[in-house]
Amino acid sequence: MRKNHLLFGLFSLLPFLAACHQDEDELFATAEIVLSAGDTLTIERVQGTARLTNLNSKQTTSSSDFDGATLRLELLRSSYSADVEGLLRYRNRRGASFTKRIRAHSDYLALEKTGRNETVLEIIFLE
């Protein structure tokens, strides 16, 4: 009899223990910053630095790890501003290769979705 009361008490506590479970939101997201030079140019390589500043905490994250024209970073989900400066090697429609200094900027990037957040920044040629 005592064994049945113990089992009954144990099974009656299970729903309460399950209700105490708290879902955890993902804090980090993957940011994909893609540099664009329009339809007429093919970007081969970016050698530069990207600085992303969290607009809430003012924390800055820098990276130079471009894969072609794309930079991937793991960041806290939030809103950011972005600055990119460096050199760009590209080809025009005729296939001629050029290297120029570039800059790209955005005052607001919403990197708030869990998973992948893709943002395209238009390149400004400095020379």
Side-chain angles (χ1 to χ4, degrees):
M1 182 79 161
R2 184 168 211 197
K3 196 177 198 182
N4 289 340
H5 287 293
L6 183 62
L7 286 175
F8 177 73
L10 200 61
F11 284 119
S12 64
L13 284 177
L14 285 178
F16 292 109
L17 293 175
C20 293
H21 175 73
Q22 182 180 12
D23 290 332
E24 293 182 22
D25 290 334
E26 291 183 33
L27 297 177
F28 291 89
T30 301
E32 279 190 13
I33 310 297
V34 179
L35 299 180
S36 174
D39 296 336
T40 61
L41 304 178
T42 304
I43 297 175
E44 293 180 340
R45 181 178 176 168
V46 175
Q47 184 176 354
T49 302
R51 282 180 299 284
L52 280 80
T53 303
N54 187 311
L55 297 177
N56 296 315
S57 68
K58 305 301 181 206
Q59 179 182 2
T60 300
T61 303
S62 298
S63 179
S64 298
D65 194 20
F66 282 92
D67 181 16
T70 304
L71 174 68
R72 288 177 189 83
L73 294 168
E74 290 291 320
L75 297 169
L76 282 172
R77 290 174 41 207
S78 188
S79 300
Y80 289 85
S81 66
D83 286 297
V84 179
E85 291 184 20
L87 293 173
L88 174 72
R89 188 171 71 205
Y90 65 95
R91 290 191 182 276
N92 64 10
R93 284 186 179 178
R94 295 181 182 155
S97 183
F98 298 94
T99 301
K100 290 196 175 182
R101 288 185 49 218
I102 57 130
R103 185 165 195 272
H105 174 78
S106 177
D107 287 328
Y108 181 78
L109 301 176
L111 304 177
E112 298 166 348
K113 296 186 300 186
T114 58
R116 186 174 147 255
N117 294 270
E118 182 177 324
T119 303
V120 177
L121 296 179
E122 294 296 324
I123 292 173
I124 301 168
F125 291 97
L126 298 178
E127 296 176 353

